[in-house]
Amino acid sequence: MDIRKIDDSLSVSPQIRVEDVAEIARLGFKTLVANRPDREEPGQPSMAEIEAAAKAHGLDWVYLPVASGNITDEDVERFAPMIQGAKKPVLAFCRSGTRCTILWALSSAPTLSAPEIIQRARGAGYDLSGLEPRIAQHARKSS
């Protein structure tokens, strides 16, 4: 597993395996969020299997699939309240962790500055500098 901490309440990861869920629970995560559509690519574990493992290990499970390369404002509007209301800490995963990080970045725009968002993402290994105009747009929407 390649868990990357965004802040104290959210970490992101590339695709996890069913076998990883026990370790995720052991590490203290309370909610597991899948931002990857089921059957996005051959050989990917099914979300039903990961969900069953999450529930078996006492984790809350959220399935919020988002198409790769096509994160809509509606996706962000669904992600923001979900992450705010989730039991913390949260681990969100997708194919590479980028989608989860972008969802966090855009949903954080109302409360964090674009440079801070980009710096936190960079600290987790994700370069979101190209999203700065969209982050600023989301910040303006909420004001």
Side-chain angles (χ1 to χ4, degrees), residues 126-137:
Y126 299 99
D127 180 5
L128 301 187
S129 57
L131 280 179
E132 192 161 359
R134 189 166 177 201
I135 293 168
Q137 176 188 14

Side-chain angles (χ1 to χ4, degrees), residues 61-107:
W61 168 258
V62 177
Y63 182 52
L64 190 68
V66 175
S68 179
N70 188 32
I71 297 173
T72 66
D73 288 348
E74 291 77 24
D75 294 328
V76 176
E77 289 165 9
R78 290 188 346 238
F79 184 84
M82 177 279 301
I83 210 74
Q84 289 170 354
K87 290 182 191 168
K88 314 279 190 306
V90 174
L91 177 63
F93 72 91
C94 58
R95 187 187 62 75
S96 68
T98 303
R99 260 174 282 193
C100 304
T101 305
I102 292 170
L103 286 164
W104 164 80
L106 295 174
S107 66

Side-chain angles (χ1 to χ4, degrees), residues 2 4 6 12-14 96-98 101 118 121-128:
D2 180 15
R4 302 173 185 200
I6 300 291
V12 299
S13 172
S96 68
T98 303
T101 305
I118 290 167
R122 185 174 288 123
Y126 299 99
D127 180 5
L128 301 187

Side-chain angles (χ1 to χ4, degrees), residues 8-22:
D8 288 340
S9 60
L10 177 68
S11 295
V12 299
S13 172
Q15 177 68 57
I16 62 168
R17 301 170 301 149
V18 173
E19 304 84 58
D20 295 330
V21 176

Side-chain angles (χ1 to χ4, degrees), residues 29-71:
F29 289 98
K30 304 293 183 207
T31 303
L32 187 58
V33 178
N35 290 135
R36 188 172 196 199
D38 218 355
R39 296 179 297 280
E40 186 174 56
E41 71 181 7
Q44 165 188 336
S46 83
M47 294 303 150
E49 292 172 316
I50 296 174
E51 176 182 12
K55 289 180 177 177
H57 290 284
L59 297 169
D60 284 356
W61 168 258
V62 177
Y63 182 52
L64 190 68
V66 175
S68 179
N70 188 32
I71 297 173

